[in-house]
Amino acid sequence: MRKFFCALMTDRIILDADQMRRAISRMAHEIVERNSGPQGLVLVGLCTRGVPLAQRIHEAIVSFEGADVPCGQLDVTLYRDDLFSGRVREIHETLLPTNISDAKVVLVDDVLFTGRTIRAAMDAVMDYGRARSIELAVLVDRGHRELPIRADYVGKNLPTSRQEVVEVRVIETDGSDEVVIRRTEDAAFKGLGGAEQ
Amino acid sequence: MIGAVDRGDTGRSHSVEAAVPWVGRGHVLDLDDFSHQELESVFNTADRMREILARPVPRVPSLRGRSVVNLFYEPSTRTRVSFELAAKSLGADVVNVSASGSSVEKGETLLDTVRTLRALGANVLVVRHKESGAPYTIAKQMDIPVVNAGDGTHAHPTQALLDAYTIRDHFGCIEGLRVLIVGDIAHSRVARSDAWGLTALGADVVFCGPPNLLPATALKDDGECMPWPVRVDFDLDHAIENVDVVMPLRVQLERQEGNRLASLREYARDFGITRARLARAASRAIVMHPGPMNEGVEIDADVAHGGQSVVQQQVTNGVAIRMAVLYLVVAAAAQNSNGHKTPLVPAPGLSGKVPV
């Protein structure tokens, strides 16, 4: 099966583990610098790949600032505008610090694409309280926005075509830390039933 | 995992092996064909819903623009309100229709009523009916999800789901727990659905009650003829020894045709859950009741409101469970209309399922 996949798609590594680590470390510094310190910050990873990335930013801030920053996770499934357009979606756990009113929330996700996930995430955060500000950190910005949304902290800007798939892998769930871009032949992709969801 | 490529709007591609093990069930009519895995997926979804209910704004916009119609041919407070709150917490519009005061009184048939509601734009039908099987008849005729909110003496799946969910919440796991259901089993749709759900989850279920209030199949060969692996006991003081869950059922005076019940006082003496009786159960035992309670008949007031009672948690969990059910049936119906391969489970027939 693996061979079959390789015949249709080619993976190209965009960031390896070291490059990923450095990008996350830089973003952590930028977040603290632009917010004049870690006070009032709340990191919120978006399910699922944003969660380990938020934890890494959190660990970096703790190690170089010596101050703890609350770190949570948010599942935006029930806020999606395409909730009922594919298969039945699993809802993941949301764990936010109890009070985010007046907090400076930093949303963390792996890939910024159309911006629709971030729209949903902002609506969800609003339901928890009136944050003082909401910022966005993403490991990869691949373009093709469909909404007026931009990232405040970007690990890597990556021009892509819509036929390409950007995959962020993290060691916790995928066995390795890397970002790959995969070129797919659209017809073949559809044939595989992939162009749904 | 060919074809299992998730192209969400971030353009990620990950296999969707962790997809919900919900087999595309567009209706929830009873728990008789639910697998252990499917029940767990309802509970996991309910966990997420409970988190929503604890938020400052306990509402998500998932079902915005959709109408949930509560069609109730029998009086109900908690189930109807619970479904209504669940639907509203998911952002749906809710319309309540009760038999009295509707065109049912003018002689409109059940199917004509639901066709009318469908034409008016209903997206989900929640049905309670005094006749066993009525929601099945509706589900066969309808292209929208139907949820059974209690049909006659047959089934009450969302009550059974919230019962199992409350037990799981309290003990962490249901497998191996001893659950005692006491009372008018013959007329109880709750006991029937509980038996399906709890035995599928591995609980050891015992029915206890006077012989004339147990299903006929329970009396034959010590219950061997029943569709569930459930034991039967006529002596409450014996049956209650060391059980983990005590669930007295309401004595349904409205269903006691033919005077099956000699006197309430006698029933309370033999089958009422008192503090003294509860002391014979396991020390960690919890007391549940599907409500509404006849205090002093099937359950004493000090037990109903005592430290071992989880009756209020049942009611609270009911909203989360019904949110989970509404979300899953709407998502399954949408999945089907999107042309996905998993077919909707057809509305099953009733044949052989009612062990009266």
Side-chain angles (χ1 to χ4, degrees), chain B residues 284-309:
Chain B
R284 61 172 188 171
I286 54 171
V287 178
M288 308 175 75
H289 193 295
M293 294 187 280
N294 297 312
E295 288 177 18
V297 183
E298 73 266 7
I299 187 168
D300 273 9
D302 57 347
V303 173
H305 307 290
Q308 286 169 276
S309 167

Side-chain angles (χ1 to χ4, degrees), chain B residues 231-296:
Chain B
R231 284 188 297 117
V232 177
D233 200 326
F234 304 122
D235 178 1
L236 178 57
D237 290 311
H238 174 257
I240 203 169
E241 292 281 356
N242 282 321
V243 299
D244 302 299
V245 178
V246 182
M247 190 193 298
L249 300 169
R250 184 170 66 91
V251 174
Q252 303 186 73
L253 295 169
E254 74 275 21
R255 293 196 215 279
Q256 299 301 336
E257 81 291 344
N259 261 339
R260 289 207 198 188
L261 206 58
S263 85
L264 286 181
R265 196 184 301 165
E266 192 180 304
Y267 181 87
R269 189 195 65 207
D270 294 339
F271 294 99
I273 305 298
T274 59
R275 194 183 286 186
R277 281 207 169 105
L278 184 57
R280 304 169 70 102
S283 58
R284 61 172 188 171
I286 54 171
V287 178
M288 308 175 75
H289 193 295
M293 294 187 280
N294 297 312
E295 288 177 18

